[in-house]
Amino acid sequence: MSARDDIAAGRTSLGIELGSTRIKACLIGPDATEVLATGSFSWENSLEDGLWTYALEDVWQGLRSAYADLVDDAETRHGVRPDTFGAIGISAMMHGYLGFDQAGELLVPFRTWRNTNTTVAAAELTELLGVNIPLRWSIAHLHQAVVDAEPHVPNLDFVTTLAGYVHWRLTGERVLGVGDASGMFPIDSATCDYDARMLDAYDALAADRLPAPVTSLFPRVLAAGEDAGSLTAEGATLLDPAGALGAGIPLCPPEGDAGTGMVATNSVAPRTGNVSAGTSIFAMVVLEHPLEKVHHELDLVTTPAGDGVAMVHCNNGASELAAWVGLFSQFSAAAGQPVDSDAAFEALFREALKGEADAGGLIAYNHLAGEPIAGLIEGRPLFVRTPDSDFTLANFMRAQLYGVFGTLALGMKVLESEGAQLDRMFAHGGMFRTAGVAQRFLAGALDAPVAVGELASEGGAWGIAVLASYLSHADSSDLGTYLDEQVFAAASISTVDPDPADVAGFASYLDRYRAGLAVEAAAVESL
């Protein structure tokens, strides 16, 4: 069958992910590796009354625009405009707080994961539940509203995430994929549901301050492959006001961006993980067994199938590195030999390979924003060296690349202390485009093989399209097997094993990096 035939017959899966800066749509065929069409819409959050938010009107404008863009792209590429699909999946940035009353009206503006006004609630919940509750989790936002006795709390009827909200409006179903739900409230992987003991503990704490037990406010939890409802006529109109899209299409459980990232990198089996490096950087490792202790450096979430995952989330990623590359680009232009951004990255990354394994005693801190893992409430990017450091361009660039992984490595050391094992880490993000550089250094930093590949170019939108496709395979295969045998079997993936010299060199760098955090703290205090 041709792609045109598959699109016309609805032998396709549509994935839409609402990211922090773009809403992306991705259409795949029976072969999940074949992207048939894409669409996107750019948007930005806004700061209102001290809280980061997106207007719900913008949500629907963005969804309609991304969907229309995809339909146009399908027609351009294949000469046919899709009006039905085999399945649809919705994903979005995790966490945050959307609270509705019985009439389905939003009670307060959407509070995104970016808000940090939940310090009191997160600390109280961490002590109560005995697990780390990050500031961005939905239960932290809900409990902060309870603690602050916000006027809207008695009217709450439904609390969900952005993906759960969109799915609800499209299907009428108040459900959530387990991976996204694990960013609302702790999950018991044995039951693939909210942890019953912790629910009881929270209900006892908030009994006289919430209108109902928290389970009746939260969406029902579903694992990948479970029935999550179908597109209603009203939902079809929300996506396609022109009326070409038909109702009745099944939807997979809505997921968060962490879960779709795991799918897009085939990192859903125990002892696998993925690193995403962009404005922020985070690592996710699928666990073989629960952690023994509470660690503020580690968030506990799940795969879309419900297996436990430890996340090391760092607020600062490759932005400071990019700023230095930009500075060198400006120098080249001033010298009359301008090079474009891609060429500058390529040249400087290649130069880093010539540096000493420990970066010659140089240290780079990438903290543009606060970094809880490093104990920093604000950021002060710093480059530090001692008089006897070997100050060369090669060492400088290696230090900058190491600096991207510094705080991440601190968190991974905590995970290592729990006995977590890692067979392979899949890395994705722009800094890995220069083959064999950042990938090699990350392998040394983690002392584990690091894989990169081209399959996840559409990222989370492709990942949720794959989860939608999995709906028709769930009866015969678990998610990990489906990904291994039907999605990634022929994938072009390059794996780099850690170089012992890089492992030892980065360990030396990290010792200096950890000691120098006192300099960072002093900079925050003084500047």
Side-chain angles (χ1 to χ4, degrees):
M1 293 291 180
S2 68
R4 177 190 175 95
D5 293 337
D6 288 332
I7 293 171
R11 291 186 293 267
T12 55
S13 298
L14 171 65
I16 303 177
E17 180 159 280
L18 296 93
S20 57
T21 58
R22 280 207 303 165
I23 299 174
K24 296 175 66 176
C26 178
L27 184 67
I28 60 175
D31 176 359
T33 65
E34 184 182 5
V35 175
L36 303 179
T38 61
S40 67
F41 175 81
S42 296
W43 68 339
E44 289 289 345
N45 55 191
S46 59
L47 189 64
E48 296 183 12
D49 297 326
L51 295 173
W52 292 102
T53 188
Y54 297 85
L56 296 193
E57 294 81 2
D58 293 343
V59 170
W60 294 108
Q61 178 191 354
L63 285 167
R64 286 190 288 267
S65 295
Y67 176 78
D69 194 25
L70 177 137
V71 170
D72 289 344
D73 188 43
E75 183 176 35
T76 299
R77 292 199 208 183
H78 309 289
V80 59
R81 296 179 69 82
D83 57 13
T84 189
F85 308 97
I88 298 174
I90 299 296
S91 175
M93 59 190 101
M94 290 176 66
H95 317 299
Y97 179 77
L98 282 154
F100 300 88
D101 63 16
Q102 287 187 342
E105 295 296 323
L106 186 67
L107 292 169
V108 291
F110 170 35
R111 297 171 181 177
T112 78
W113 61 272
R114 191 177 180 184
N115 291 297
T116 57
N117 62 308
T118 57
T119 304
V120 172
E124 186 174 351
L125 291 170
T126 296
E127 181 177 357
L128 172 74
L129 303 178
V131 296
N132 182 37
I133 302 296
L135 300 179
R136 61 187 182 278
W137 279 28
S138 302
I139 187 62
H141 286 278
L142 171 62
H143 189 55
Q144 191 65 52
V146 169
V147 169
D148 294 339
E150 293 193 33
H152 77 274
V153 170
N155 298 317
L156 282 170
D157 182 66
F158 182 41
V159 174
T160 190
T161 65
L162 182 56
Y165 161 69
V166 172
H167 184 96
W168 171 45
R169 292 294 307 276
L170 294 180
T171 66
E173 299 289 338
R174 295 184 175 188
V175 299
L176 201 60
V178 63
D180 204 7
S182 69
M184 291 193 74
F185 193 89
I187 294 291
D188 179 353
S189 290
T191 63
C192 206
D193 204 349
Y194 303 118
D195 187 288
R197 178 191 64 80
M198 297 184 194
L199 285 173
D200 289 342
Y202 184 70
D203 284 339
L205 175 69
D208 59 344
R209 294 180 286 176
L210 277 177
V214 71
T215 44
S216 66
L217 300 178
F218 278 178
R220 182 165 53 92
V221 180
L222 298 175
E226 292 193 84
D227 178 15
S230 59
L231 187 67
T232 63
E234 178 187 7
T237 301
L238 283 171
L239 271 184
D240 179 24
L245 179 62
I249 302 168
L251 271 78
C252 69
E255 265 299 346
D257 50 0
T260 57
M262 286 184 253
V263 170
T265 56
N266 194 18
S267 304
V268 300
R271 299 169 67 101
T272 65
N274 71 89
V275 167
S276 176
T279 303
S280 62
I281 185 169
F282 62 85
M284 308 189 71
V285 176
V286 186
L287 302 171
E288 295 179 281
H289 51 76
L291 301 183
E292 295 182 359
K293 299 178 182 178
V294 178
H295 303 279
H296 81 273
E297 299 92 344
L298 303 176
D299 301 351
L300 297 180
V301 292
T302 77
T303 70
D307 293 312
V309 174
M311 174 191 286
V312 179
H313 185 279
C314 308
N315 291 337
N316 300 278
S319 295
E320 178 67 1
L321 171 68
W324 279 105
V325 174
L327 188 70
F328 285 113
S329 293
Q330 292 174 38
F331 168 75
S332 70
Q337 301 291 331
V339 296
D340 63 25
S341 177
D342 286 345
F345 271 100
E346 175 79 21
L348 291 168
F349 275 39
R350 294 295 174 202
E351 186 68 14
L353 292 174
K354 304 175 186 177
E356 298 171 55
D358 68 346
L362 312 181
I363 311 172
Y365 294 101
N366 66 335
H367 302 139
L368 287 159
E371 195 62 83
I373 291 177
L376 300 170
I377 59 173
E378 295 181 25
R380 297 292 186 273
L382 289 178
F383 171 71
V384 183
R385 65 188 179 101
T386 59
D388 59 347
S389 298
D390 191 2
F391 189 29
T392 66
L393 178 61
N395 282 336
F396 176 83
M397 285 310 303
R398 185 175 282 227
Q400 291 294 337
L401 281 156
Y402 278 4
V404 176
F405 305 135
T407 309
L408 183 77
L410 295 178
M412 292 297 290
K413 289 294 183 184
V414 174
L415 185 57
E416 183 181 313
S417 72
E418 283 273 359
Q421 300 294 312
L422 187 62
D423 291 336
R424 186 208 67 203
M425 184 71 86
F426 196 109
H428 54 115
M431 69 181 297
F432 297 102
R433 286 190 301 168
T434 302
V437 183
Q439 178 185 11
R440 170 183 157 180
F441 294 160
L442 180 60
L446 302 181
D447 193 13
V450 172
V452 297
E454 299 179 356
L455 197 56
S457 60
E458 295 303 323
W462 180 76
I464 191 64
V466 171
L467 283 172
S469 177
Y470 177 62
L471 274 177
S472 60
H473 299 268
D475 289 342
S476 59
S477 176
D478 64 73
L479 180 60
T481 301
Y482 172 69
L483 294 177
D484 282 338
E485 297 181 355
Q486 300 199 43
V487 179
F488 286 87
S492 176
I493 294 175
S494 169
T495 302
V496 170
D497 292 321
D499 183 314
D502 290 340
V503 173
F506 186 85
S508 176
Y509 176 91
L510 191 63
D511 286 341
R512 295 195 312 273
Y513 182 95
R514 184 185 288 109
L517 286 172
V519 180
E520 273 279 86
V524 171
E525 183 70 24
S526 304
L527 298 176

